[in-house]
Amino acid sequence: MRIGFIGLGAMGEPMARNLASANFLNVIWNRTTEKAEVLAKELGVHKAKSPEKLAKKSDVVFTCVSADDDVLDVIWSMLPGLGPGKIVVDTSTVSSATAKSAAKMLEDKGASFLDAPVSGGVEGAKNATLAMMIGGESDVLNRVKSVLDVLATRIVLMGPTGSGQGTKAVNQAMAAGINQAVTEALAFAHELGLPMDKVIDVISGGAAGNWFLEHRGPSMTHAQFQPGFKVELHQKDLRICKRMAEEKGLKLPLTIQTITDYEILIQEGYGEEDISALYRLKP
Amino acid sequence: MRIGFIGLGAMGEPMARNLASANFLNVIWNRTTEKAEVLAKELGVHKAKSPEKLAKKSDVVFTCVSADDDVLDVIWSMLPGLGPGKIVVDTSTVSSATAKSAAKMLEDKGASFLDAPVSGGVEGAKNATLAMMIGGESDVLNRVKSVLDVLATRIVLMGPTGSGQGTKAVNQAMAAGINQAVTEALAFAHELGLPMDKVIDVISGGAAGNWFLEHRGPSMTHAQFQPGFKVELHQKDLRICKRMAEEKGLKLPLTIQTITDYEILIQEGYGEEDISALYRLKP
């Protein structure tokens, strides 16, 4: 199986590296050409001149890009190179509607689509411990399962096309709420004059324990906010959540509060920091 | 070392059982006498006629009661039975101010006090996997450490008297926020028509993963709300958090929102349900 990879950003690059280590990767393409050139040389894989050429050289194409339009653009560009039997696995976080549009474009060419957004952050991408939420057909998933195993420890078929993105939206909304919960409580601890490292340690062991507290609590309380997961990227995802919820007539108060807070952070120049920078806004 | 235990409720009873299994427990007392009689017979330990008599027969007394006044009442009742070298370990969740008052009463008798609230729920009490947050002197903690090891897997000295309760308040505030985060996001998932068990499984594996989702997500989405941790008890704790925060001039929006929501649940007759009953209020 010849694998192509498009989008070598913070998440895409380590995923491509893991595919290369497992001898699955054949060809890469990136909007910023230099990045693809350097990485192709290092990994000993091909660098395609265009998404179309990458698609021609691939049986399975992974895409990992930033926004809904990017997914549709890159699939549009690949179309002449795609045909029956080929599969596009989109690991980007976009809306369910975009996933459905992408699947439709590919269907018309006889190719298949999986929406396969991931959770677990840059660490998860590097350590191949991502959780992967799949929307699409189970027989399509089965054909690429051995490849996905190289990237993720949890691979769950959620339902038809768009279900992976729906699940990711739920994940991102939950992450926003947890960010609010953890930063509010740690600010309280700080105000009480408690030893923060010990607070984080002992709370992590109980019923309020959570990944974010354990992995971001120590850094945020030492005023370190390197990503991790950037405020501006989570902000993009939360706007997707808000839109998807509104379409269902549902309000997500914690998501909406977090969008407001992130807007302040972005305006103050902290958009490229980790989402734990929300701690900056807690009194 | 002769150990006494006062307060055989949902948390206290399993803790007393674990102390008995380790051959540490000597004598118990409970406000509802029948409960103490039955358990004393089962465990083969003494049942004291009063807190004072229990204190006389004990080197170390554990208390596990509901409210600030209960702690002060029971310590007041024990005072004639307490003297130099004796230690009271209060595992209740009350305010830092109550812990300080209790310590002062004991100090006047030459006895010592540790505030030692726990996290980890009824499961943690049963399985002896509690996290224990201690306020007090390290030499006092060292004298009872081998006993605490029978109850908890994490035992952390947070600082002087009251620091254990301060940490517990932070824990409870964080638990409230996480309850909001998880129930809001799962209601979103339900609205999107996603398979809930799979959503819980896959999100648990990523950066939004948390104890509450993993342990209460499956039950709440199947409309099962047996405690666990009762709404009315968390409500009591959150009022302590609110008061402690106000004393510092701090607002805790998620705690305040949760107090409001729990009030609705209690008025609708759900106060004895698990705190995950908050899911009932999500549209």
Side-chain angles (χ1 to χ4, degrees):
Chain A
M1 208 156 32
R2 299 167 308 158
I3 309 284
F5 204 104
I6 288 180
L8 303 165
M11 294 295 290
E13 187 191 321
M15 291 167 78
R17 284 181 183 278
N18 285 329
L19 290 171
S21 298
N23 286 321
F24 274 126
L25 192 63
N26 180 46
V27 55
I28 60 180
W29 183 84
N30 194 55
R31 197 161 50 181
T32 312
T33 314
E34 295 80 0
K35 184 137 202 186
E37 267 167 13
V38 172
L39 192 68
K41 206 166 280 182
E42 186 192 331
L43 298 180
V45 300
H46 300 288
K47 183 197 80 77
K49 289 232 167 88
S50 68
E52 179 188 341
K53 289 194 170 151
L54 179 139
K56 278 188 181 148
K57 288 185 184 175
S58 306
D59 302 305
V60 177
V61 178
F62 285 84
T63 51
C64 186
V65 299
S66 284
D68 290 66
D69 284 349
D70 299 334
V71 171
L72 298 178
D73 284 354
V74 86
I75 288 183
W76 179 258
S77 307
M78 279 195 286
L79 279 184
L82 293 170
K86 297 206 175 188
I87 301 173
V88 174
V89 180
D90 180 35
T91 65
S92 319
T93 295
V94 293
S95 71
S96 296
T98 293
K100 285 174 192 160
S101 302
K104 187 75 186 61
M105 279 199 275
L106 293 177
E107 205 184 302
D108 296 342
K109 299 283 291 185
S112 302
F113 179 81
L114 296 174
D115 50 310
V118 296
S119 168
V122 173
E123 292 100 318
K126 282 184 182 158
N127 303 329
T129 56
L130 293 167
M132 196 170 252
M133 303 149 231
I134 314 265
E137 298 298 323
S138 64
D139 63 323
V140 177
L141 172 57
N142 288 337
R143 279 156 59 202
V144 295
K145 179 68 170 47
S146 60
V147 184
L148 302 186
D149 282 334
V150 168
L151 303 172
T153 42
R154 273 190 215 212
I155 298 161
V156 185
L157 181 61
M158 301 306 303
T161 300
S163 305
Q165 296 299 351
T167 306
K168 181 66 190 283
V170 172
N171 186 81
Q172 297 308 73
M174 197 178 296
I178 285 174
N179 196 354
Q180 293 288 352
V182 169
T183 53
E184 173 172 315
L186 290 183
F188 181 31
H190 180 76
E191 208 57 47
L192 293 175
L194 294 168
M196 300 304 288
D197 287 352
K198 286 186 174 182
V199 166
I200 292 163
D201 180 51
V202 75
I203 294 182
S204 294
N210 61 87
W211 186 99
F212 191 71
L213 175 66
E214 222 168 312
H215 290 78
R216 300 290 179 259
S219 48
M220 78 172 83
T221 54
H222 290 89
Q224 291 165 2
F225 303 109
Q226 306 95 308
F229 183 42
K230 289 181 188 173
V231 168
E232 56 192 21
L233 286 179
H234 199 195
Q235 181 75 322
K236 169 192 77 82
D237 295 353
L238 293 182
R239 292 191 194 283
I240 295 171
C241 296
K242 181 167 177 278
R243 211 164 51 234
M244 286 173 67
E246 281 168 356
E247 281 165 14
K248 297 283 179 182
L250 190 69
K251 269 185 200 144
L252 300 175
L254 287 176
T255 290
I256 290 166
Q257 180 61 51
T258 307
I259 290 174
T260 304
D261 291 343
Y262 283 177
E263 199 49 45
I264 295 168
L265 284 175
I266 290 165
Q267 274 168 23
E268 291 182 357
Y270 302 126
E272 302 238 324
E273 289 191 344
D274 184 73
I275 63 167
S276 55
L278 182 63
Y279 190 61
R280 290 181 179 279
L281 301 187
K282 303 291 162 171
Chain B
M1 208 157 31
R2 299 168 310 159
I3 309 284
F5 204 105
I6 289 180
L8 304 165
M11 295 294 288
E13 187 192 319
M15 290 167 80
R17 285 181 183 277
N18 285 329
L19 290 171
S21 298
N23 285 319
F24 274 126
L25 193 63
N26 181 44
V27 55
I28 59 180
W29 183 84
N30 193 56
R31 197 158 53 181
T32 313
T33 314
E34 297 80 1
K35 184 138 204 189
E37 267 166 13
V38 173
L39 192 66
K41 206 166 279 181
E42 185 192 333
L43 299 179
V45 301
H46 301 289
K47 182 198 79 76
K49 288 231 167 86
S50 68
E52 180 188 339
K53 290 194 170 151
L54 178 139
K56 278 189 181 147
K57 287 187 186 173
S58 306
D59 303 306
V60 178
V61 178
F62 284 84
T63 52
C64 186
V65 297
S66 282
D68 291 66
D69 285 350
D70 299 334
V71 171
L72 297 177
D73 285 354
V74 87
I75 288 182
W76 179 258
S77 307
M78 279 196 283
L79 278 184
L82 292 170
K86 296 207 175 186
I87 301 172
V88 175
V89 180
D90 180 35
T91 64
S92 318
T93 294
V94 292
S95 72
S96 297
T98 293
K100 286 174 190 160
S101 303
K104 187 74 186 61
M105 279 199 275
L106 294 177
E107 203 183 304
D108 296 342
K109 299 284 291 184
S112 301
F113 179 80
L114 295 175
D115 47 307
V118 297
S119 168
V122 173
E123 292 101 319
K126 282 185 181 157
N127 304 329
T129 54
L130 293 168
M132 196 170 253
M133 304 148 232
I134 315 267
E137 299 297 324
S138 64
D139 63 322
V140 177
L141 172 57
N142 288 338
R143 281 155 58 201
V144 296
K145 179 67 169 49
S146 60
V147 185
L148 302 186
D149 282 335
V150 168
L151 304 172
T153 41
R154 274 190 215 212
I155 298 160
V156 185
L157 181 60
M158 302 306 302
T161 300
S163 305
Q165 296 299 352
T167 306
K168 182 65 192 281
V170 172
N171 186 81
Q172 297 308 74
M174 198 178 296
I178 286 173
N179 196 353
Q180 293 287 354
V182 169
T183 52
E184 173 172 316
L186 289 183
F188 181 31
H190 180 76
E191 208 57 46
L192 293 175
L194 294 168
M196 299 304 288
D197 288 351
K198 286 187 175 185
V199 166
I200 292 163
D201 179 50
V202 74
I203 294 184
S204 293
N210 62 87
W211 186 99
F212 190 72
L213 174 67
E214 221 168 314
H215 289 79
R216 300 291 178 259
S219 47
M220 76 171 86
T221 53
H222 290 90
Q224 291 167 2
F225 304 108
Q226 307 96 310
F229 184 42
K230 288 180 187 173
V231 168
E232 56 193 19
L233 287 178
H234 199 195
Q235 182 74 322
K236 169 193 79 79
D237 295 353
L238 293 182
R239 291 191 194 283
I240 295 171
C241 297
K242 180 167 177 279
R243 213 164 50 234
M244 287 173 67
E246 279 167 356
E247 281 164 14
K248 297 283 180 183
L250 191 69
K251 270 184 200 145
L252 299 174
L254 286 176
T255 290
I256 290 166
Q257 179 62 50
T258 307
I259 289 174
T260 305
D261 290 343
Y262 283 176
E263 201 47 48
I264 295 168
L265 284 176
I266 289 166
Q267 277 170 21
E268 291 182 356
Y270 303 124
E272 303 239 325
E273 289 190 344
D274 185 72
I275 61 168
S276 55
L278 182 62
Y279 190 61
R280 290 181 179 280
L281 301 187
K282 304 291 163 172

PDB file of all heavy atoms in Angstrom, chain B residues 204-230:
ATOM      1  N   SER B 204     -12.099   9.583  26.370  1.00  0.00           N
ATOM      2  CA  SER B 204     -11.315   9.230  27.559  1.00  0.00           C
ATOM      3  C   SER B 204      -9.848   8.987  27.227  1.00  0.00           C
ATOM      4  O   SER B 204      -8.982   9.157  28.080  1.00  0.00           O
ATOM      5  CB  SER B 204     -11.896   7.972  28.212  1.00  0.00           C
ATOM      6  OG  SER B 204     -13.172   8.242  28.737  1.00  0.00           O
ATOM      7  N   GLY B 205      -9.575   8.592  26.002  1.00  0.00           N
ATOM      8  CA  GLY B 205      -8.204   8.276  25.619  1.00  0.00           C
ATOM      9  C   GLY B 205      -7.371   9.482  25.217  1.00  0.00           C
ATOM     10  O   GLY B 205      -6.184   9.341  24.939  1.00  0.00           O
ATOM     11  N   GLY B 206      -7.959  10.671  25.205  1.00  0.00           N
ATOM     12  CA  GLY B 206      -7.237  11.838  24.696  1.00  0.00           C
ATOM     13  C   GLY B 206      -7.065  12.941  25.724  1.00  0.00           C
ATOM     14  O   GLY B 206      -7.184  12.717  26.932  1.00  0.00           O
ATOM     15  N   ALA B 207      -6.796  14.147  25.216  1.00  0.00           N
ATOM     16  CA  ALA B 207      -6.426  15.279  26.069  1.00  0.00           C
ATOM     17  C   ALA B 207      -7.608  15.830  26.872  1.00  0.00           C
ATOM     18  O   ALA B 207      -7.418  16.634  27.781  1.00  0.00           O
ATOM     19  CB  ALA B 207      -5.815  16.390  25.223  1.00  0.00           C
ATOM     20  N   ALA B 208      -8.830  15.412  26.542  1.00  0.00           N
ATOM     21  CA  ALA B 208      -9.985  15.818  27.344  1.00  0.00           C
ATOM     22  C   ALA B 208     -10.384  14.724  28.328  1.00  0.00           C
ATOM     23  O   ALA B 208     -11.406  14.815  29.008  1.00  0.00           O
ATOM     24  CB  ALA B 208     -11.168  16.181  26.438  1.00  0.00           C
ATOM     25  N   GLY B 209      -9.572  13.691  28.424  1.00  0.00           N
ATOM     26  CA  GLY B 209      -9.863  12.557  29.304  1.00  0.00           C
ATOM     27  C   GLY B 209      -9.892  12.964  30.771  1.00  0.00           C
ATOM     28  O   GLY B 209      -9.130  13.831  31.187  1.00  0.00           O
ATOM     29  N   ASN B 210     -10.776  12.363  31.524  1.00  0.00           N
ATOM     30  CA  ASN B 210     -10.873  12.679  32.953  1.00  0.00           C
ATOM     31  C   ASN B 210     -11.601  11.555  33.683  1.00  0.00           C
ATOM     32  O   ASN B 210     -12.357  10.794  33.085  1.00  0.00           O
ATOM     33  CB  ASN B 210     -11.568  14.039  33.169  1.00  0.00           C
ATOM     34  CG  ASN B 210     -13.004  14.072  32.654  1.00  0.00           C
ATOM     35  OD1 ASN B 210     -13.933  13.704  33.369  1.00  0.00           O
ATOM     36  ND2 ASN B 210     -13.201  14.496  31.405  1.00  0.00           N
ATOM     37  N   TRP B 211     -11.342  11.473  34.980  1.00  0.00           N
ATOM     38  CA  TRP B 211     -11.915  10.420  35.835  1.00  0.00           C
ATOM     39  C   TRP B 211     -13.436  10.412  35.761  1.00  0.00           C
ATOM     40  O   TRP B 211     -14.070   9.358  35.650  1.00  0.00           O
ATOM     41  CB  TRP B 211     -11.454  10.658  37.282  1.00  0.00           C
ATOM     42  CG  TRP B 211     -11.842   9.581  38.268  1.00  0.00           C
ATOM     43  CD1 TRP B 211     -11.048   8.559  38.716  1.00  0.00           C
ATOM     44  CD2 TRP B 211     -13.110   9.415  38.942  1.00  0.00           C
ATOM     45  NE1 TRP B 211     -11.736   7.770  39.612  1.00  0.00           N
ATOM     46  CE2 TRP B 211     -13.001   8.269  39.774  1.00  0.00           C
ATOM     47  CE3 TRP B 211     -14.315  10.117  38.922  1.00  0.00           C
ATOM     48  CZ2 TRP B 211     -14.056   7.824  40.573  1.00  0.00           C
ATOM     49  CZ3 TRP B 211     -15.366   9.657  39.705  1.00  0.00           C
ATOM     50  CH2 TRP B 211     -15.222   8.533  40.530  1.00  0.00           C
ATOM     51  N   PHE B 212     -14.027  11.608  35.828  1.00  0.00           N
ATOM     52  CA  PHE B 212     -15.478  11.724  35.917  1.00  0.00           C
ATOM     53  C   PHE B 212     -16.145  11.186  34.649  1.00  0.00           C
ATOM     54  O   PHE B 212     -17.152  10.468  34.711  1.00  0.00           O
ATOM     55  CB  PHE B 212     -15.845  13.188  36.164  1.00  0.00           C
ATOM     56  CG  PHE B 212     -17.287  13.411  36.503  1.00  0.00           C
ATOM     57  CD1 PHE B 212     -17.783  13.022  37.737  1.00  0.00           C
ATOM     58  CD2 PHE B 212     -18.141  14.030  35.613  1.00  0.00           C
ATOM     59  CE1 PHE B 212     -19.126  13.231  38.069  1.00  0.00           C
ATOM     60  CE2 PHE B 212     -19.474  14.252  35.939  1.00  0.00           C
ATOM     61  CZ  PHE B 212     -19.967  13.854  37.165  1.00  0.00           C
ATOM     62  N   LEU B 213     -15.591  11.526  33.497  1.00  0.00           N
ATOM     63  CA  LEU B 213     -16.113  11.017  32.226  1.00  0.00           C
ATOM     64  C   LEU B 213     -16.053   9.501  32.190  1.00  0.00           C
ATOM     65  O   LEU B 213     -17.023   8.832  31.823  1.00  0.00           O
ATOM     66  CB  LEU B 213     -15.303  11.600  31.068  1.00  0.00           C
ATOM     67  CG  LEU B 213     -15.637  11.057  29.672  1.00  0.00           C
ATOM     68  CD1 LEU B 213     -17.030  11.487  29.250  1.00  0.00           C
ATOM     69  CD2 LEU B 213     -14.601  11.524  28.652  1.00  0.00           C
ATOM     70  N   GLU B 214     -14.906   8.960  32.592  1.00  0.00           N
ATOM     71  CA  GLU B 214     -14.698   7.521  32.503  1.00  0.00           C
ATOM     72  C   GLU B 214     -15.609   6.766  33.479  1.00  0.00           C
ATOM     73  O   GLU B 214     -16.159   5.730  33.135  1.00  0.00           O
ATOM     74  CB  GLU B 214     -13.232   7.224  32.812  1.00  0.00           C
ATOM     75  CG  GLU B 214     -12.614   6.167  31.920  1.00  0.00           C
ATOM     76  CD  GLU B 214     -11.095   6.122  32.060  1.00  0.00           C
ATOM     77  OE1 GLU B 214     -10.443   7.193  32.047  1.00  0.00           O
ATOM     78  OE2 GLU B 214     -10.568   5.015  32.227  1.00  0.00           O
ATOM     79  N   HIS B 215     -15.776   7.308  34.706  1.00  0.00           N
ATOM     80  CA  HIS B 215     -16.504   6.589  35.753  1.00  0.00           C
ATOM     81  C   HIS B 215     -17.978   6.953  35.824  1.00  0.00           C
ATOM     82  O   HIS B 215     -18.776   6.179  36.333  1.00  0.00           O
ATOM     83  CB  HIS B 215     -15.856   6.835  37.119  1.00  0.00           C
ATOM     84  CG  HIS B 215     -14.527   6.154  37.251  1.00  0.00           C
ATOM     85  ND1 HIS B 215     -13.378   6.664  36.697  1.00  0.00           N
ATOM     86  CD2 HIS B 215     -14.168   4.997  37.846  1.00  0.00           C
ATOM     87  CE1 HIS B 215     -12.367   5.850  36.970  1.00  0.00           C
ATOM     88  NE2 HIS B 215     -12.815   4.844  37.665  1.00  0.00           N
ATOM     89  N   ARG B 216     -18.367   8.132  35.396  1.00  0.00           N
ATOM     90  CA  ARG B 216     -19.770   8.551  35.489  1.00  0.00           C
ATOM     91  C   ARG B 216     -20.416   8.752  34.129  1.00  0.00           C
ATOM     92  O   ARG B 216     -21.648   8.785  34.032  1.00  0.00           O
ATOM     93  CB  ARG B 216     -19.878   9.842  36.307  1.00  0.00           C
ATOM     94  CG  ARG B 216     -19.359   9.716  37.740  1.00  0.00           C
ATOM     95  CD  ARG B 216     -20.248   8.840  38.611  1.00  0.00           C
ATOM     96  NE  ARG B 216     -19.685   8.724  39.948  1.00  0.00           N
ATOM     97  CZ  ARG B 216     -19.000   7.669  40.394  1.00  0.00           C
ATOM     98  NH1 ARG B 216     -18.823   6.611  39.617  1.00  0.00           N
ATOM     99  NH2 ARG B 216     -18.507   7.663  41.625  1.00  0.00           N
ATOM    100  N   GLY B 217     -19.616   8.898  33.076  1.00  0.00           N
ATOM    101  CA  GLY B 217     -20.168   9.090  31.735  1.00  0.00           C
ATOM    102  C   GLY B 217     -21.107   7.954  31.324  1.00  0.00           C
ATOM    103  O   GLY B 217     -22.250   8.197  30.914  1.00  0.00           O
ATOM    104  N   PRO B 218     -20.653   6.695  31.426  1.00  0.00           N
ATOM    105  CA  PRO B 218     -21.521   5.591  31.003  1.00  0.00           C
ATOM    106  C   PRO B 218     -22.831   5.544  31.794  1.00  0.00           C
ATOM    107  O   PRO B 218     -23.898   5.347  31.212  1.00  0.00           O
ATOM    108  CB  PRO B 218     -20.664   4.348  31.300  1.00  0.00           C
ATOM    109  CG  PRO B 218     -19.250   4.835  31.216  1.00  0.00           C
ATOM    110  CD  PRO B 218     -19.303   6.237  31.782  1.00  0.00           C
ATOM    111  N   SER B 219     -22.776   5.749  33.114  1.00  0.00           N
ATOM    112  CA  SER B 219     -24.008   5.660  33.902  1.00  0.00           C
ATOM    113  C   SER B 219     -24.938   6.834  33.612  1.00  0.00           C
ATOM    114  O   SER B 219     -26.138   6.647  33.414  1.00  0.00           O
ATOM    115  CB  SER B 219     -23.685   5.562  35.397  1.00  0.00           C
ATOM    116  OG  SER B 219     -22.742   6.518  35.786  1.00  0.00           O
ATOM    117  N   MET B 220     -24.405   8.057  33.577  1.00  0.00           N
ATOM    118  CA  MET B 220     -25.313   9.206  33.376  1.00  0.00           C
ATOM    119  C   MET B 220     -26.020   9.132  32.028  1.00  0.00           C
ATOM    120  O   MET B 220     -27.199   9.455  31.916  1.00  0.00           O
ATOM    121  CB  MET B 220     -24.580  10.539  33.554  1.00  0.00           C
ATOM    122  CG  MET B 220     -23.684  10.984  32.433  1.00  0.00           C
ATOM    123  SD  MET B 220     -23.061  12.696  32.643  1.00  0.00           S
ATOM    124  CE  MET B 220     -21.636  12.456  33.649  1.00  0.00           C
ATOM    125  N   THR B 221     -25.307   8.674  30.982  1.00  0.00           N
ATOM    126  CA  THR B 221     -25.933   8.618  29.661  1.00  0.00           C
ATOM    127  C   THR B 221     -26.913   7.442  29.546  1.00  0.00           C
ATOM    128  O   THR B 221     -27.663   7.361  28.575  1.00  0.00           O
ATOM    129  CB  THR B 221     -24.868   8.539  28.547  1.00  0.00           C
ATOM    130  OG1 THR B 221     -23.981   7.444  28.831  1.00  0.00           O
ATOM    131  CG2 THR B 221     -24.078   9.832  28.476  1.00  0.00           C
ATOM    132  N   HIS B 222     -26.898   6.547  30.549  1.00  0.00           N
ATOM    133  CA  HIS B 222     -27.942   5.523  30.643  1.00  0.00           C
ATOM    134  C   HIS B 222     -28.956   5.884  31.733  1.00  0.00           C
ATOM    135  O   HIS B 222     -29.673   5.017  32.231  1.00  0.00           O
ATOM    136  CB  HIS B 222     -27.331   4.149  30.914  1.00  0.00           C
ATOM    137  CG  HIS B 222     -26.576   3.601  29.736  1.00  0.00           C
ATOM    138  ND1 HIS B 222     -25.228   3.839  29.530  1.00  0.00           N
ATOM    139  CD2 HIS B 222     -26.989   2.869  28.666  1.00  0.00           C
ATOM    140  CE1 HIS B 222     -24.846   3.250  28.405  1.00  0.00           C
ATOM    141  NE2 HIS B 222     -25.895   2.665  27.855  1.00  0.00           N
ATOM    142  N   ALA B 223     -28.983   7.183  32.102  1.00  0.00           N
ATOM    143  CA  ALA B 223     -29.958   7.696  33.077  1.00  0.00           C
ATOM    144  C   ALA B 223     -29.886   6.974  34.415  1.00  0.00           C
ATOM    145  O   ALA B 223     -30.899   6.768  35.073  1.00  0.00           O
ATOM    146  CB  ALA B 223     -31.374   7.652  32.499  1.00  0.00           C
ATOM    147  N   GLN B 224     -28.678   6.590  34.814  1.00  0.00           N
ATOM    148  CA  GLN B 224     -28.462   5.972  36.129  1.00  0.00           C
ATOM    149  C   GLN B 224     -27.675   6.949  36.992  1.00  0.00           C
ATOM    150  O   GLN B 224     -26.586   7.376  36.616  1.00  0.00           O
ATOM    151  CB  GLN B 224     -27.691   4.664  35.980  1.00  0.00           C
ATOM    152  CG  GLN B 224     -28.507   3.576  35.307  1.00  0.00           C
ATOM    153  CD  GLN B 224     -27.647   2.407  34.876  1.00  0.00           C
ATOM    154  OE1 GLN B 224     -26.445   2.384  35.116  1.00  0.00           O
ATOM    155  NE2 GLN B 224     -28.254   1.434  34.229  1.00  0.00           N
ATOM    156  N   PHE B 225     -28.247   7.267  38.153  1.00  0.00           N
ATOM    157  CA  PHE B 225     -27.651   8.325  38.976  1.00  0.00           C
ATOM    158  C   PHE B 225     -27.492   7.899  40.430  1.00  0.00           C
ATOM    159  O   PHE B 225     -27.591   8.725  41.341  1.00  0.00           O
ATOM    160  CB  PHE B 225     -28.498   9.603  38.886  1.00  0.00           C
ATOM    161  CG  PHE B 225     -28.703  10.100  37.477  1.00  0.00           C
ATOM    162  CD1 PHE B 225     -29.934   9.988  36.857  1.00  0.00           C
ATOM    163  CD2 PHE B 225     -27.650  10.663  36.779  1.00  0.00           C
ATOM    164  CE1 PHE B 225     -30.127  10.450  35.561  1.00  0.00           C
ATOM    165  CE2 PHE B 225     -27.819  11.122  35.472  1.00  0.00           C
ATOM    166  CZ  PHE B 225     -29.076  11.013  34.857  1.00  0.00           C
ATOM    167  N   GLN B 226     -27.245   6.603  40.681  1.00  0.00           N
ATOM    168  CA  GLN B 226     -26.962   6.183  42.060  1.00  0.00           C
ATOM    169  C   GLN B 226     -25.626   6.773  42.498  1.00  0.00           C
ATOM    170  O   GLN B 226     -24.662   6.755  41.742  1.00  0.00           O
ATOM    171  CB  GLN B 226     -26.836   4.655  42.166  1.00  0.00           C
ATOM    172  CG  GLN B 226     -27.981   3.848  41.611  1.00  0.00           C
ATOM    173  CD  GLN B 226     -27.701   3.396  40.189  1.00  0.00           C
ATOM    174  OE1 GLN B 226     -27.328   4.209  39.343  1.00  0.00           O
ATOM    175  NE2 GLN B 226     -27.904   2.126  39.929  1.00  0.00           N
ATOM    176  N   PRO B 227     -25.570   7.269  43.750  1.00  0.00           N
ATOM    177  CA  PRO B 227     -24.264   7.732  44.217  1.00  0.00           C
ATOM    178  C   PRO B 227     -23.338   6.522  44.479  1.00  0.00           C
ATOM    179  O   PRO B 227     -23.823   5.435  44.770  1.00  0.00           O
ATOM    180  CB  PRO B 227     -24.607   8.418  45.536  1.00  0.00           C
ATOM    181  CG  PRO B 227     -25.930   7.902  45.948  1.00  0.00           C
ATOM    182  CD  PRO B 227     -26.629   7.376  44.730  1.00  0.00           C
ATOM    183  N   GLY B 228     -21.990   6.628  44.363  1.00  0.00           N
ATOM    184  CA  GLY B 228     -21.246   7.815  44.073  1.00  0.00           C
ATOM    185  C   GLY B 228     -21.278   8.877  45.147  1.00  0.00           C
ATOM    186  O   GLY B 228     -21.253   8.612  46.330  1.00  0.00           O
ATOM    187  N   PHE B 229     -21.284  10.080  44.700  1.00  0.00           N
ATOM    188  CA  PHE B 229     -21.146  11.260  45.529  1.00  0.00           C
ATOM    189  C   PHE B 229     -22.426  12.073  45.383  1.00  0.00           C
ATOM    190  O   PHE B 229     -22.769  12.529  44.290  1.00  0.00           O
ATOM    191  CB  PHE B 229     -19.911  12.060  45.099  1.00  0.00           C
ATOM    192  CG  PHE B 229     -19.625  13.259  45.951  1.00  0.00           C
ATOM    193  CD1 PHE B 229     -19.740  13.192  47.330  1.00  0.00           C
ATOM    194  CD2 PHE B 229     -19.207  14.449  45.371  1.00  0.00           C
ATOM    195  CE1 PHE B 229     -19.464  14.298  48.122  1.00  0.00           C
ATOM    196  CE2 PHE B 229     -18.927  15.552  46.150  1.00  0.00           C
ATOM    197  CZ  PHE B 229     -19.060  15.480  47.525  1.00  0.00           C
ATOM    198  N   LYS B 230     -23.126  12.227  46.527  1.00  0.00           N
ATOM    199  CA  LYS B 230     -24.457  12.827  46.466  1.00  0.00           C
ATOM    200  C   LYS B 230     -24.436  14.324  46.178  1.00  0.00           C
ATOM    201  O   LYS B 230     -23.615  15.065  46.724  1.00  0.00           O
ATOM    202  CB  LYS B 230     -25.186  12.602  47.786  1.00  0.00           C
ATOM    203  CG  LYS B 230     -25.624  11.171  48.002  1.00  0.00           C
ATOM    204  CD  LYS B 230     -26.347  11.024  49.338  1.00  0.00           C
ATOM    205  CE  LYS B 230     -26.617   9.554  49.622  1.00  0.00           C
ATOM    206  NZ  LYS B 230     -27.155   9.339  50.963  1.00  0.00           N
TER     207      LYS B 230
END
